[in-house]
Amino acid sequence: MSVAYKKFIEQLVREGRIKTGAIINAFFKIDRINFVPDEFKGEAYFDIPVPIFSGMTTSQPSTIAFMLEKLQPQKGDRVLEVGTGSGYLTALLAVLVGESGKVFSIEYFPELKNFAELNLRRYNFKNVTLLAGDGKDGIIGEAPFDKIVSSAETKEIPRAWEEQLKISGSILAPIDSKIVLAKKVAEDKFDAEFFSAFSFVPLL
């Protein structure tokens, strides 16, 4: 980890954007510069979205931190991520769930999946599986999941995600410029919280 990145994360911690010890530790372990294209390396340590490929961007770190603070992935969790993008959030999730957990990440664009694979290879994770496909369908063969997180905005939470989530599990997804945290309290019953003022690329 570079000194510049360490200072950048320390600033986000001082601002209260990253609060939980395990999440702070994950950010220190995963250097954002490894997840942006070469032409945008100079923007890696600013709290802004950075273009990747196919018109997509990687979210700004403070937004990713907000999502993780709400989702609270734990050691041993099985997590479904929809929208791998650059793989930055994937790597943070892999650190948070640990060797006893598992992260399954689906990317719509094959070229982005390949980009993420190259980026993640630096960390030699054994608990990450990347797939190319339609994230709206989830991965029925790997369900149930403890957590489901989407980095792409949708109009509503897909039924497949609800069905593939464990009772007591959580879905975090952008819906109509809000981040929604839906906790599954019983079969077909969810408690939801809504958080405003966010912008994401659409779920394709």
Side-chain angles (χ1 to χ4, degrees):
M1 177 182 59
S2 69
V3 172
Y5 184 67
K6 181 174 183 289
K7 289 182 177 178
F8 174 54
I9 298 304
E10 287 173 345
Q11 178 64 31
L12 293 178
V13 173
R14 283 194 299 272
E15 292 172 356
R17 296 178 183 274
I18 317 175
K19 303 172 185 177
T20 304
I23 297 174
I24 293 170
N25 176 63
F27 271 96
F28 277 127
K29 285 188 174 181
I30 305 299
D31 195 327
R32 192 190 191 205
I33 204 167
N34 294 325
F35 295 88
V36 299
D38 289 342
E39 61 267 36
F40 296 109
K41 296 292 189 189
E43 300 179 22
Y45 301 154
F46 293 95
D47 192 26
I48 56 174
V50 173
I52 36 180
F53 297 109
S54 305
M56 301 292 106
T57 62
T58 180
S59 297
Q60 62 197 76
S62 62
T63 298
I64 292 174
F66 181 89
M67 295 168 71
L68 290 173
E69 290 287 351
K70 295 302 178 185
L71 193 66
Q72 286 292 316
Q74 302 295 312
K75 295 293 185 187
D77 276 354
R78 291 172 64 83
V79 178
L80 170 63
E81 179 193 20
V82 178
T84 312
S86 70
Y88 184 47
L89 175 56
T90 316
L92 293 166
L93 288 167
V95 173
L96 287 164
V97 303
E99 294 180 0
S100 60
K102 186 74 177 179
V103 179
F104 299 89
S105 188
I106 306 175
E107 175 52 52
Y108 183 81
F109 293 102
E111 61 266 41
L112 266 183
K113 174 181 174 286
N114 294 338
F115 179 60
E117 282 179 336
L118 288 172
N119 297 336
L120 290 163
R121 199 171 293 166
R122 294 181 174 92
Y123 294 90
N124 197 32
F125 289 119
K126 305 297 185 186
N127 60 346
V128 173
T129 298
L130 300 186
L131 303 100
D134 189 346
K136 293 192 297 295
D137 297 330
I139 314 173
I140 193 165
E142 299 295 347
F145 299 102
D146 298 283
K147 307 286 191 325
I148 298 175
V149 57
S150 175
S151 295
E153 185 170 311
T154 182
K155 294 295 183 184
E156 61 183 7
I157 293 174
R159 180 64 179 167
W161 300 359
E162 296 178 346
E163 292 174 346
Q164 292 175 29
L165 186 70
K166 287 182 180 178
I167 293 175
S168 79
S170 297
I171 298 172
L172 189 141
I175 299 178
D176 289 334
S177 299
K178 296 181 176 66
I179 287 179
V180 177
L181 178 65
K183 297 182 179 180
K184 191 171 185 178
V185 295
E187 206 62 50
D188 291 325
K189 184 178 180 183
F190 288 80
D191 287 342
E193 293 181 79
F194 298 84
F195 308 95
S196 298
F198 292 93
S199 179
F200 291 84
V201 296
L203 180 66
L204 301 176

XYZ file of all heavy atoms in Angstrom, residues 44-95:
390
model
N -6.909 7.838 -8.656
C -7.254 6.733 -7.758
C -7.436 7.170 -6.312
O -8.227 6.584 -5.570
C -6.191 5.639 -7.835
N -6.709 8.219 -5.894
C -6.743 8.621 -4.494
C -7.566 9.886 -4.265
O -7.334 10.645 -3.327
C -5.324 8.796 -3.957
C -4.486 7.525 -4.062
C -3.103 7.589 -4.143
C -5.086 6.270 -4.077
C -2.331 6.438 -4.233
C -4.332 5.110 -4.169
C -2.952 5.197 -4.251
O -2.205 4.045 -4.340
N -8.547 10.077 -5.138
C -9.555 11.110 -4.928
C -10.894 10.427 -4.685
O -11.152 9.343 -5.227
C -9.655 12.042 -6.143
C -8.438 12.882 -6.363
C -7.444 12.486 -7.245
C -8.280 14.081 -5.675
C -6.310 13.256 -7.441
C -7.148 14.864 -5.860
C -6.161 14.450 -6.744
N -11.737 11.059 -3.882
C -13.027 10.449 -3.554
C -14.047 10.766 -4.655
O -15.012 11.499 -4.450
C -13.513 10.954 -2.190
C -14.686 10.133 -1.670
O -14.804 8.953 -2.053
O -15.488 10.679 -0.885
N -13.785 10.194 -5.832
C -14.626 10.420 -7.001
C -14.800 9.093 -7.743
O -13.965 8.197 -7.638
C -14.009 11.461 -7.960
C -12.593 11.019 -8.383
C -13.970 12.843 -7.311
C -11.955 11.892 -9.438
N -15.899 8.958 -8.536
C -15.999 7.792 -9.424
C -14.916 7.878 -10.493
O -14.520 8.973 -10.902
C -17.393 7.936 -10.045
C -18.120 8.917 -9.184
C -17.075 9.830 -8.622
N -14.434 6.733 -10.937
C -13.400 6.685 -11.977
C -13.910 5.821 -13.131
O -14.397 4.709 -12.899
C -12.079 6.112 -11.417
C -11.060 5.914 -12.537
C -11.513 7.029 -10.344
N -13.815 6.304 -14.384
C -14.240 5.497 -15.527
C -13.437 4.198 -15.615
O -12.241 4.166 -15.324
C -13.954 6.399 -16.740
C -13.881 7.783 -16.175
C -13.324 7.640 -14.796
N -14.144 3.129 -16.025
C -13.433 1.871 -16.285
C -13.638 1.506 -17.760
O -12.966 2.035 -18.612
C -13.821 0.753 -15.277
C -15.300 0.799 -14.857
C -12.954 0.845 -14.043
C -15.711 -0.270 -13.868
N -14.615 0.664 -18.080
C -14.873 0.323 -19.474
C -16.373 0.314 -19.743
O -17.190 0.308 -18.813
C -14.304 -1.068 -19.806
C -12.809 -1.168 -19.673
C -12.241 -1.898 -18.643
C -11.981 -0.535 -20.572
C -10.869 -2.000 -18.516
C -10.609 -0.624 -20.460
C -10.045 -1.355 -19.434
N -16.726 0.286 -21.023
C -18.125 0.116 -21.454
C -19.060 1.159 -20.865
O -20.232 0.893 -20.606
C -18.618 -1.292 -21.077
O -17.764 -2.275 -21.606
N -18.543 2.378 -20.645
C -19.370 3.435 -20.080
C -19.612 3.302 -18.594
O -20.368 4.079 -18.009
N -18.990 2.322 -17.954
C -19.167 2.086 -16.525
C -18.117 2.856 -15.724
O -17.092 3.279 -16.243
C -19.045 0.588 -16.218
C -20.046 -0.303 -16.955
S -21.756 -0.066 -16.420
C -22.408 0.835 -17.820
N -18.385 3.015 -14.429
C -17.431 3.641 -13.514
C -17.283 2.777 -12.278
O -18.162 1.969 -11.967
C -17.892 5.045 -13.076
O -19.144 4.921 -12.366
C -18.066 5.960 -14.268
N -16.172 2.953 -11.586
C -16.046 2.373 -10.253
C -16.452 3.445 -9.249
O -16.056 4.608 -9.355
C -14.613 1.869 -9.973
O -14.562 1.317 -8.654
C -13.576 2.949 -10.123
N -17.309 3.071 -8.294
C -17.878 4.045 -7.362
C -16.803 4.715 -6.526
O -15.720 4.163 -6.305
C -18.884 3.361 -6.429
O -19.969 2.842 -7.151
N -17.124 5.912 -6.041
C -16.176 6.599 -5.167
C -16.046 5.837 -3.851
O -17.007 5.230 -3.356
C -16.610 8.037 -4.929
C -17.929 8.217 -4.233
C -18.450 9.633 -4.425
O -18.946 9.989 -5.481
N -18.308 10.444 -3.383
N -14.861 5.833 -3.255
C -14.628 5.051 -2.039
C -15.584 5.358 -0.891
O -15.971 4.454 -0.150
C -13.177 5.392 -1.677
C -12.535 5.647 -3.004
C -13.597 6.375 -3.796
N -15.989 6.616 -0.716
C -16.899 6.931 0.391
C -18.258 6.274 0.196
O -18.913 5.878 1.166
C -17.064 8.441 0.555
O -17.629 9.019 -0.612
N -18.701 6.127 -1.063
C -19.962 5.434 -1.333
C -19.824 3.949 -1.049
O -20.708 3.329 -0.447
C -20.399 5.655 -2.795
O -20.622 7.045 -3.013
C -21.684 4.897 -3.101
N -18.705 3.363 -1.471
C -18.455 1.949 -1.182
C -18.391 1.726 0.326
O -18.940 0.747 0.846
C -17.161 1.487 -1.868
C -17.355 1.486 -3.392
C -16.736 0.107 -1.375
C -16.098 1.194 -4.178
N -17.739 2.639 1.038
C -17.662 2.531 2.498
C -19.055 2.589 3.115
O -19.379 1.808 4.027
C -16.787 3.646 3.058
N -19.900 3.501 2.629
C -21.266 3.614 3.134
C -22.018 2.297 2.935
O -22.701 1.813 3.847
C -21.998 4.741 2.410
C -23.414 4.951 2.871
C -23.691 5.809 3.923
C -24.467 4.279 2.262
C -25.004 5.982 4.356
C -25.775 4.446 2.687
C -26.041 5.307 3.738
N -21.875 1.710 1.757
C -22.547 0.447 1.461
C -22.081 -0.665 2.395
O -22.892 -1.426 2.939
C -22.296 0.066 0.006
C -22.926 1.037 -0.999
S -22.345 0.798 -2.696
C -23.131 -0.770 -3.110
N -20.775 -0.749 2.606
C -20.246 -1.788 3.486
C -20.653 -1.569 4.937
O -20.943 -2.528 5.666
C -18.722 -1.850 3.360
C -18.194 -2.385 2.027
C -16.679 -2.232 1.965
C -18.586 -3.847 1.831
N -20.683 -0.318 5.374
C -21.098 -0.028 6.749
C -22.555 -0.441 6.980
O -22.917 -0.896 8.073
C -20.917 1.461 7.054
C -19.466 1.918 7.160
C -18.775 1.463 8.437
O -19.452 0.924 9.343
O -17.545 1.640 8.534
N -23.402 -0.281 5.978
C -24.802 -0.687 6.107
C -24.968 -2.197 5.988
O -25.759 -2.804 6.697
C -25.661 0.022 5.056
C -25.728 1.535 5.231
C -26.271 1.918 6.603
C -26.293 3.422 6.815
N -26.702 3.785 8.206
N -24.212 -2.806 5.080
C -24.345 -4.245 4.848
C -23.696 -5.077 5.948
O -24.200 -6.139 6.302
C -23.724 -4.593 3.497
C -24.026 -5.986 2.947
C -25.500 -6.139 2.616
C -23.181 -6.257 1.698
N -22.567 -4.601 6.481
C -21.826 -5.276 7.552
C -21.534 -6.757 7.252
O -21.974 -7.659 7.967
C -22.599 -5.159 8.875
C -22.554 -3.778 9.501
C -21.159 -3.398 10.013
O -20.485 -4.199 10.643
N -20.743 -2.182 9.709
N -20.775 -7.039 6.183
C -20.372 -8.425 5.928
C -19.531 -8.953 7.085
O -18.722 -8.220 7.669
C -19.532 -8.314 4.649
C -19.879 -6.979 4.066
C -20.204 -6.089 5.221
N -19.723 -10.234 7.393
C -19.037 -10.861 8.522
C -18.187 -12.032 8.064
O -18.400 -12.598 6.985
C -20.066 -11.359 9.542
C -20.994 -10.281 10.076
C -20.265 -9.220 10.885
O -19.465 -9.553 11.770
N -20.519 -7.952 10.584
N -17.216 -12.407 8.886
C -16.410 -13.586 8.601
C -17.334 -14.791 8.401
O -18.260 -15.017 9.179
C -15.455 -13.882 9.763
C -14.404 -12.813 10.002
C -13.398 -12.717 8.864
C -12.292 -11.721 9.184
N -11.400 -11.483 8.033
N -17.076 -15.552 7.353
C -17.863 -16.745 7.081
C -19.085 -16.519 6.213
O -19.739 -17.487 5.806
N -19.421 -15.266 5.912
C -20.595 -14.980 5.081
C -20.394 -15.470 3.650
O -19.289 -15.426 3.107
C -20.880 -13.473 5.024
C -21.705 -12.976 6.199
O -22.152 -13.803 7.013
O -21.899 -11.753 6.300
N -21.496 -15.893 3.050
C -21.560 -16.146 1.610
C -22.262 -14.934 1.000
O -23.416 -14.645 1.321
C -22.342 -17.432 1.305
C -21.608 -18.693 1.749
C -22.489 -19.920 1.613
N -22.849 -20.199 0.218
C -22.077 -20.852 -0.639
N -20.886 -21.292 -0.255
N -22.473 -21.079 -1.876
N -21.525 -14.239 0.119
C -22.013 -12.969 -0.426
C -22.166 -13.070 -1.938
O -21.263 -13.565 -2.630
C -21.045 -11.815 -0.089
C -21.534 -10.507 -0.694
C -20.897 -11.665 1.423
N -23.306 -12.594 -2.439
C -23.510 -12.436 -3.869
C -23.352 -10.959 -4.211
O -24.052 -10.110 -3.653
C -24.911 -12.911 -4.280
C -25.338 -12.584 -5.717
C -24.431 -13.274 -6.728
C -26.799 -12.970 -5.943
N -22.418 -10.659 -5.104
C -22.229 -9.294 -5.594
C -22.695 -9.227 -7.039
O -22.272 -10.033 -7.867
C -20.752 -8.887 -5.522
C -20.510 -7.473 -6.055
C -19.047 -7.160 -6.287
O -18.230 -8.101 -6.414
O -18.713 -5.961 -6.350
N -23.553 -8.265 -7.352
C -24.040 -8.074 -8.717
C -23.399 -6.813 -9.281
O -23.609 -5.717 -8.758
C -25.576 -7.970 -8.746
C -26.055 -7.725 -10.182
C -26.212 -9.234 -8.180
N -22.596 -6.979 -10.331
C -21.868 -5.859 -10.907
C -20.446 -5.817 -10.389
O -20.112 -4.990 -9.534
N -19.589 -6.699 -10.886
C -18.207 -6.781 -10.407
C -17.442 -5.495 -10.685
O -16.648 -5.046 -9.848
C -17.466 -7.953 -11.090
O -18.273 -9.123 -11.035
C -16.127 -8.211 -10.432
N -17.674 -4.911 -11.868
C -16.941 -3.706 -12.238
C -15.449 -3.950 -12.253
O -14.959 -4.910 -12.842
N -14.711 -3.107 -11.563
C -13.247 -3.218 -11.521
C -12.767 -4.305 -10.565
O -11.605 -4.696 -10.602
C -12.642 -1.884 -11.084
O -12.929 -1.638 -9.704
N -13.661 -4.761 -9.670
C -13.274 -5.753 -8.671
C -12.873 -5.157 -7.329
O -12.534 -5.887 -6.395
N -12.937 -3.828 -7.200
C -12.523 -3.171 -5.942
C -13.419 -3.578 -4.776
O -12.927 -4.015 -3.726
C -12.542 -1.658 -6.149
C -12.044 -0.820 -4.984
C -10.858 -1.117 -4.324
C -12.757 0.300 -4.569
C -10.399 -0.326 -3.271
C -12.306 1.092 -3.523
C -11.136 0.782 -2.881
O -10.692 1.567 -1.842
N -14.742 -3.476 -4.961
C -15.647 -3.907 -3.893
C -15.534 -5.408 -3.671
O -15.587 -5.876 -2.528
C -17.089 -3.520 -4.240
C -18.182 -4.002 -3.270
C -17.904 -3.526 -1.844
C -19.557 -3.528 -3.734
N -15.339 -6.166 -4.736
C -15.165 -7.619 -4.616
C -14.006 -7.941 -3.677
O -14.115 -8.817 -2.803
C -14.871 -8.234 -6.005
O -15.742 -7.674 -6.976
C -15.038 -9.744 -5.971
N -12.888 -7.240 -3.863
C -11.709 -7.477 -3.027
C -11.967 -7.109 -1.579
O -11.563 -7.836 -0.656
C -10.526 -6.678 -3.578
N -12.636 -5.981 -1.353
C -12.973 -5.585 0.019
C -13.871 -6.631 0.679
O -13.672 -6.995 1.851
C -13.661 -4.223 0.005
C -12.782 -3.037 -0.422
C -13.646 -1.820 -0.731
C -11.756 -2.700 0.647
N -14.850 -7.128 -0.066
C -15.735 -8.170 0.462
C -14.955 -9.438 0.788
O -15.198 -10.084 1.823
C -16.837 -8.487 -0.552
C -17.917 -7.431 -0.742
C -18.748 -7.731 -1.989
C -18.830 -7.341 0.488
N -14.008 -9.794 -0.082
C -13.210 -11.004 0.144
C -12.428 -10.917 1.447
O -12.323 -11.897 2.199
C -12.266 -11.235 -1.033
N -11.876 -9.747 1.743
C -11.168 -9.551 3.015
C -12.143 -9.657 4.183
O -11.859 -10.306 5.196
C -10.460 -8.186 3.026
C -9.872 -7.897 4.414
C -9.357 -8.137 1.974
